[in-house]
Amino acid sequence: MFPRVSTTGLLGCLVLAAFVATDGLAGQADEGSAGNGGFYLGLAFPLGQLSATMQKSVDNTAPNTLVPEPRRGQVFEDEASGDALSYGIGLVAGYRMPFSGGAYFLDAAVDVESRGGTVEAQFPGVGISPERKQLGESWPDRWNLDPATSYGMTLRLGGSPGGLRSRGISLHLLAGVRFAGAQFTNHFDGCFTTEPCDPSQFESGQEDRDMDFTVWKSGVGLEKSLSERVALRVEASYSVYAREEWTTEFEDVVVTVRSSMKATEAGLALGLLLRP
């Protein structure tokens, strides 16, 4: 699992790094060295809509299952989705290589982000009992997904067509891959015995799980030069999270629960770039 980094602590480090980098670059660069190419550092402020869907399959078809009739020998499929506003702050380091006389560029960057925003959802529950909470059914669990630290690499291909170059404006396409950590928590309440329970006998608890997602990102962006060393970047992107799958075996009652989580995110990001 990726190491946890507090947003407050990361913010302090990033602000300090930005001031140090600005001071150092201002002292080292001169009028002739400024330009669109070369190394740069930056701060990024992503904002997006994170949507997640969890699927659950409760399988009681094993011949030796202890689930009693009439729930015995069935597979209960369940699904729940939720979304939330996601936000964060990140540090970016990249290198830009101009070509065609500086009209176009290829840009490669790496970054680390600390993210916030919790997706919450509840299964409707699938079964034959009124509460859908008897042994072997898909209980109406509540779950939440909390994004944490993520790392990524992004390629950008862009340029300044027409009269945009004279205005210090460039457009670009982007594609990248990220490795994102998240904390998953499932809250359950139901019957753990082979004999039917009444509501007063239901037992509650929670399951915690660390998740590591591979995230594929694509989008478009715009940059505006504020000075010879400073530029503002605005990007719109869409990210697809690779499916996370896991299986839980309840060997004491011979029940298998197969689960999966997938997510997408549509977002905007504001960046401040500092160039030598």
Side-chain angles (χ1 to χ4, degrees):
M1 184 61 192
F2 301 114
R4 296 285 187 254
V5 180
S6 71
T7 303
T8 303
L10 181 59
L11 176 60
C13 293
L14 294 178
V15 172
L16 177 61
F19 279 113
V20 172
T22 304
D23 183 68
L25 295 178
Q28 295 174 14
D30 55 28
E31 296 293 325
S33 65
N36 290 330
F39 290 99
Y40 64 87
L41 293 176
L43 293 175
F45 303 92
L47 183 70
Q49 186 76 8
L50 178 63
S51 301
T53 298
M54 182 178 173
Q55 295 177 325
K56 179 174 60 169
S57 174
V58 182
D59 188 342
N60 306 315
T61 59
N64 57 336
T65 182
L66 299 186
V67 176
E69 297 288 355
R71 299 182 300 278
R72 183 188 182 96
Q74 300 192 50
V75 178
F76 295 105
E77 304 281 355
D78 212 348
E79 181 176 297
S81 300
D83 53 65
L85 181 68
S86 66
Y87 51 89
I89 183 171
L91 177 64
V92 181
Y95 183 83
R96 175 163 297 182
M97 182 177 66
F99 59 93
S100 295
Y104 299 94
F105 63 83
L106 179 64
D107 184 305
V110 295
D111 68 273
V112 56
E113 291 180 354
S114 181
R115 302 297 296 267
T118 301
V119 178
E120 298 179 338
Q122 182 170 6
F123 287 105
V126 179
I128 59 177
S129 68
E131 300 88 0
R132 304 172 304 285
K133 292 185 178 183
Q134 299 298 326
L135 182 68
E137 297 179 319
S138 177
W139 300 347
D141 301 339
R142 294 178 296 106
W143 58 265
N144 54 270
L145 186 69
D146 296 296
T149 305
S150 66
Y151 306 84
M153 181 178 71
T154 304
L155 296 178
R156 295 175 174 88
L157 177 64
S160 302
L164 293 182
R165 188 176 184 183
S166 62
R167 302 177 185 177
I169 298 175
S170 65
L171 305 175
H172 61 265
L173 301 175
L174 67 93
V177 60
R178 305 194 62 77
F179 302 98
Q183 177 68 42
F184 168 77
T185 303
N186 188 61
H187 307 271
F188 56 82
D189 180 65
C191 182
F192 286 90
T193 65
T194 57
E195 295 298 324
C197 301
D198 61 50
S200 65
Q201 295 174 308
F202 292 154
E203 297 183 36
S204 301
Q206 74 176 45
E207 172 195 6
D208 297 311
R209 185 179 185 86
D210 290 333
M211 291 187 174
D212 297 330
F213 292 98
T214 300
V215 185
W216 301 98
K217 180 179 180 180
S218 60
V220 297
L222 176 148
E223 287 185 20
K224 167 64 178 175
S225 296
L226 302 181
S227 71
E228 294 180 340
R229 299 178 180 87
V230 180
L232 185 67
R233 173 188 286 170
V234 180
E235 294 180 332
S237 63
Y238 184 75
S239 299
V240 177
Y241 290 60
R243 183 188 299 267
E244 180 87 356
E245 299 180 334
W246 68 100
T247 300
T248 305
E249 298 282 355
F250 294 91
E251 298 179 352
D252 53 339
V253 292
V254 196
V255 173
T256 300
V257 179
R258 299 179 182 88
S259 305
S260 67
M261 178 74 71
K262 60 181 181 180
T264 60
E265 183 174 9
L268 295 172
L270 179 67
L272 183 64
L273 310 182
L274 308 172
R275 305 183 187 279

